[in-house]
Amino acid sequence: MTDVPKDLSEIGKASKKTIFGKKKIRKDGAEGKIVNVEPVEKLQREDRNMWICYSSRDSMNTLKLYESLKSKLEAKEWIFDGCPRGTMYDFYEEYLRPFGALLVKMEREGMLVDRGYLSEIEKIAVAERNLAADKFRKWASKYCPDAKYMNINSDAQILQLFFAGRENRDTPGETLPQSKTFRVPNDQSVAPEGKRTSKFRTIKLCGIVENPEVTFSSSVSLDTLKTWPELPDQDVEEVSLYGTAYEVFGGGKKGKEACHAIAALFETRSIAKLISSFIVPLQEDHISCKEGRIHCSLNINTETGRLSARTPNLQNQPALEKDRYKIRQAFVAAPGNSLVVADYGQLELRILAHLTNCKSMLDAFKAGGDFHSRTAMNMYEHIRDAVHEKKVLLEWHPQPGQEKPPVPLLKDAFGAERRKAKMLNFSIAYGKTAKGLSDDWKVTVDEARDTLKLWYRDRKEVSAWQKRQKELVREKCEVYTLLGRSRHFPNMTHAGSSKKGVERAAINAPVQGSAADVAMCAMLEIERNVRLKELGWRLLLQVHDEVILEGPTESAETARAIVVECMSKPFYGTNILKVELAVDAKCVKSWYAAK
DNA sequence: ATCGCGTGCCAC
DNA sequence: AAACGTGGCACGCGAT
């Protein structure tokens, strides 16, 4: 703890060693250079396209960059939702500089983390991980003794066990050897006969598959292996429910054991991931200062204008079912305080509706209710008929005295169709193709293409808009967000991807970037709100379409209402979009409770 | 020991 | 050739 600065204002004076105690220095050396709590603009990092990069903790020295960029910004026209508004320097003055200042405040504020809770769940997680790991090792070592000491986290070792001697279908010519030696950490302090224990030991792994011909045509990869165990529900003695591994290991009891062992392997890995990525780092001193608050760095350094967060990245904490140890429960309000957690509903889809001016989508949002159900209805005639004949309900708001809906809900009666519609809603903005869908749904490409056509059937404006973005990127090498941020694509290639890849990115960038614009405006609106400030509420974190504030519990409800208002009308108290902005907000004691 | 890179996986 | 966009980061492993 002595290495941790008392507060953030001391950080700038400290050396990298004292700040980051261990070896957490990035390869670009960002941490070490400047850690400054004063707003310092960092503009146009060479390797990024978007206009402004801004951060307190990650800033490099920037006055020079600022001057050179000012002229660059002044030379670029600013088009706000289709209307000329001056230059991008005006945009910078009005939005980005205040936003940057706000990010600095949020970084300083930090989020309170319950480290006692984390250490409790760490014990449980470690025990469960070890249990699963032992289960797998015990099984595998029946076929290959040294598997007892293998590193379950090593892809190479796992692949060697399951695919020894096999040629990789995806990379013809590459064949794994029958057996291979690995150097592994000697965690279990196993001393070879007559020798003292050493830090490493060498093990020899050979194939454990009994009937390799069963899986001969599949590819040598972890993805393939993942599909092997398909475990039946408990107490179901239906052999056919077991997956590939059942056959591969000779069926019967041995086959079942194999399925359970492989499941244990992936369970081990997923628990290990939770421990090493979240539970452990969140407890480390060099991130969390003594008051127990964690200060991540919030950066505007993405291609689309979203924020990114690092050291630690608080934007990828496990959510929902994947959060088996309820990690989000460790993010709490200070005593006497509460959190307001507010998020937009289907923000990117609403943006897409606005940008494309798609009547069907705009109508669906105007009608309210379950958007995915409405999409399913518009896609399938038989569902439309059922709705017209009042055989199913699109959505249902229970009246007092009613316990269940008079007729089935669409999402129950046509669950499969709604799931498809929902997946399409999420995928289309990303540029997903029929091929990708066919893989996901395990149907032919033609069938996937037909389903895609159904989605686009009443959304012609979307295809037209996507076509226009492709033209834009071809003609001007740029596409634009709602507020006029641009994403530049030099030479129609980026990150080594193909022309098609650029087109997908060009379709996605305005949607993702405009959503980021809305989120930024909402945060500025919240920051400008005098009442929230008087009541003592502070923004702590943004996760793309979600914001978290902390303040006194007694005013939590008031604050919640104000936040909803700010987010619904994020453009100086108005909403310039053609769609409503739906906001869901909760007053809670921990992040987990907001689910 | 330390690096750079590839892979996999967490989020929205 | 690839087939879903934007991120951060832990880990293994070969090279230095």
Side-chain angles (χ1 to χ4, degrees):
Chain A
M1 193 55 95
T2 52
D3 280 352
V4 178
K6 289 192 192 68
D7 63 55
L8 287 178
S9 65
E10 288 193 21
I11 288 180
K13 298 166 194 157
S15 73
K16 19 176 155 174
K17 196 173 173 221
T18 50
I19 305 167
F20 295 99
K22 297 171 193 171
K23 55 202 171 177
K24 300 242 168 180
I25 304 297
R26 247 161 57 127
K27 59 186 170 197
D28 61 9
E31 273 95 339
K33 283 192 178 171
I34 300 280
V35 183
N36 194 333
V37 290
E38 294 306 315
V40 175
E41 295 87 359
K42 181 180 68 170
L43 308 183
Q44 191 68 17
R45 229 169 74 176
E46 290 79 0
D47 60 332
R48 296 289 177 180
N49 281 323
M50 291 305 282
W51 278 103
I52 309 288
C53 298
Y54 190 127
S55 164
S56 55
R57 277 182 45 191
D58 285 343
S59 285
M60 294 190 262
N61 216 332
T62 57
L63 283 180
K64 240 164 60 188
L65 278 169
Y66 172 80
E67 285 305 326
S68 75
L69 208 94
K70 185 178 176 187
S71 53
K72 230 171 148 177
L73 291 173
E74 282 171 337
K76 188 155 173 90
E77 199 190 3
W78 175 22
I79 310 284
F80 181 105
D81 196 21
C83 308
R85 271 262 202 135
T87 73
M88 285 308 287
Y89 188 74
D90 301 315
F91 174 80
Y92 162 73
E93 289 276 344
E94 183 174 347
Y95 291 99
L96 282 177
R97 191 152 70 182
F99 191 43
L102 171 56
L103 295 183
V104 172
K105 276 177 74 176
M106 290 166 64
E107 289 176 355
R108 298 189 66 166
E109 204 65 54
M111 220 175 160
L112 184 61
V113 175
D114 183 346
R115 285 193 262 180
Y117 172 74
L118 287 170
S119 85
E120 287 304 311
I121 61 174
E122 181 176 351
K123 284 179 208 153
I124 298 169
V126 166
E128 290 182 358
R129 179 199 61 190
N130 292 345
L131 199 69
D134 288 345
K135 186 174 170 186
F136 177 76
R137 285 208 177 86
K138 196 174 167 193
W139 169 80
S141 61
K142 285 195 290 192
Y143 298 87
C144 169
D146 272 4
K148 197 168 182 180
Y149 311 108
M150 72 178 293
N151 184 348
I152 294 181
N153 286 324
S154 162
D155 293 0
Q157 290 175 37
I158 294 293
L159 292 179
Q160 179 63 28
L161 276 186
F162 286 94
F163 299 101
R166 291 265 314 279
E167 181 177 7
N168 192 348
R169 186 192 64 180
D170 301 334
T171 53
E174 276 179 33
T175 302
L176 288 179
Q178 290 298 333
S179 74
K180 194 176 170 186
T181 58
F182 292 91
R183 229 168 128 251
V184 297
N186 195 358
D187 291 334
Q188 296 155 33
S189 295
V190 182
E193 294 297 324
K195 292 183 187 167
R196 61 191 166 80
T197 58
S198 60
K199 229 172 172 179
F200 293 93
R201 53 181 278 130
T202 302
I203 60 169
K204 185 173 175 184
L205 295 181
C206 52
I208 62 176
V209 169
E210 296 197 328
N211 300 321
E213 65 277 6
V214 174
T215 57
F216 195 73
S217 63
S218 57
S219 63
V220 174
S221 72
L222 282 176
D223 281 346
T224 304
L225 186 56
K226 253 190 214 169
T227 67
W228 283 18
E230 285 168 25
L231 300 180
D233 293 337
Q234 278 188 343
D235 305 323
V236 177
E237 275 303 315
E238 193 57 58
V239 159
S240 63
L241 285 177
Y242 280 93
T244 312
Y246 183 79
E247 305 290 335
V248 170
F249 288 90
K253 187 159 169 280
K254 282 166 86 180
K256 288 181 194 174
E257 281 173 1
C259 288
H260 285 284
I262 295 169
L265 155 68
F266 289 111
E267 189 186 2
T268 308
R269 283 191 165 203
S270 85
I271 299 174
K273 166 81 176 172
L274 292 176
I275 295 171
S276 64
S277 295
F278 306 108
I279 298 176
V280 167
L282 286 176
Q283 298 177 69
E284 283 178 3
D285 287 347
H286 66 278
I287 289 172
S288 189
C289 291
K290 71 174 170 200
E291 81 281 20
R293 299 187 79 93
I294 201 156
H295 305 272
C296 73
S297 159
L298 295 165
N299 304 303
I300 312 175
N301 59 0
T302 59
E303 298 287 355
T304 57
R306 270 190 176 185
L307 294 182
S308 79
R310 48 183 229 89
T311 55
N313 180 1
L314 295 185
Q315 291 182 319
N316 71 340
Q317 300 299 312
L320 293 167
E321 318 84 50
K322 276 180 182 166
D323 195 1
R324 66 185 279 178
Y325 300 112
K326 297 185 169 53
I327 291 169
R328 278 156 109 122
Q329 208 159 281
F331 293 86
V332 293
N337 278 356
S338 289
L339 304 176
V340 164
V341 180
D343 70 304
Y344 283 111
Q346 296 104 20
L347 179 57
E348 294 199 351
L349 281 169
R350 287 167 197 270
I351 293 290
L352 186 66
H354 173 87
L355 292 176
T356 60
N357 203 14
C358 171
K359 185 167 185 308
S360 166
M361 291 180 78
L362 291 171
D363 287 348
F365 280 125
K366 205 166 288 169
D370 187 319
F371 184 80
H372 303 305
S373 290
R374 216 163 273 277
T375 305
M377 177 184 77
N378 289 339
M379 285 173 66
Y380 297 101
E381 198 171 358
H382 65 279
I383 301 185
R384 272 200 301 287
D385 293 344
V387 171
H388 284 146
E389 293 163 25
K390 303 204 186 305
K391 285 181 185 158
V392 296
L393 276 179
L394 269 167
E395 56 260 334
W396 179 64
H397 307 287
Q399 302 294 320
Q402 276 183 303
E403 285 198 2
K404 57 182 205 177
V407 291
L409 290 178
L410 189 156
K411 67 166 160 192
D412 299 319
F414 302 105
E417 287 91 339
R418 183 183 175 278
R419 269 193 297 280
K420 274 191 188 178
K422 184 177 177 181
M423 200 178 284
L424 281 171
N425 280 337
F426 280 121
S427 320
I428 258 80
Y430 295 155
K432 193 150 181 160
T433 61
K435 166 74 174 136
L437 288 170
S438 70
D439 287 347
D440 285 355
W441 293 340
K442 298 183 172 46
V443 298
T444 66
V445 180
D446 282 340
E447 286 174 289
R449 195 170 291 126
D450 289 342
T451 312
L452 263 177
K453 272 188 196 149
L454 287 178
W455 192 92
Y456 278 108
R457 197 182 57 83
D458 65 337
R459 292 173 170 83
K460 296 278 187 288
E461 301 94 327
V462 175
S463 353
W465 179 86
Q466 292 180 336
K467 193 164 161 250
R468 232 177 301 141
Q469 303 307 305
K470 290 182 200 172
E471 286 162 10
L472 255 181
V473 79
R474 196 170 57 238
E475 288 160 15
K476 305 180 84 167
C477 294
E478 272 190 347
V479 291
Y480 307 93
T481 69
L482 180 74
L483 263 57
R485 284 196 263 207
S486 61
R487 181 173 177 185
H488 188 61
F489 295 91
N491 302 323
M492 286 301 284
T493 56
H494 80 288
S497 69
S498 61
K499 182 181 168 184
K500 291 280 179 199
V502 171
E503 288 181 350
R504 284 195 297 276
I507 284 169
N508 173 257
V511 180
Q512 195 183 110
S514 301
D517 288 345
V518 169
M520 173 178 71
C521 289
M523 288 165 72
L524 290 171
E525 194 72 18
I526 288 168
E527 174 67 7
R528 281 194 294 266
N529 189 284
V530 179
R531 187 86 180 108
L532 275 179
K533 192 178 175 175
E534 284 170 357
L535 293 172
W537 284 80
R538 295 97 52 194
L539 271 165
L540 303 185
L541 190 63
Q542 182 247 52
V543 190
H544 311 307
D545 64 353
E546 172 181 9
V547 293
I548 302 179
L549 294 87
E550 182 178 351
T553 298
E554 56 266 28
S555 56
E557 266 308 320
T558 311
R560 194 187 68 82
I562 297 172
V563 169
V564 169
E565 185 71 6
C566 290
M567 291 174 71
S568 315
K569 300 172 183 169
F571 308 98
Y572 300 101
T574 63
N575 177 14
I576 62 168
L577 300 177
K578 302 181 189 92
V579 279
E580 298 283 300
L581 287 168
V583 178
D584 178 50
K586 293 200 168 73
C587 304
V588 287
K589 289 290 179 189
S590 86
W591 196 359
Y592 185 84
K595 72 185 161 69

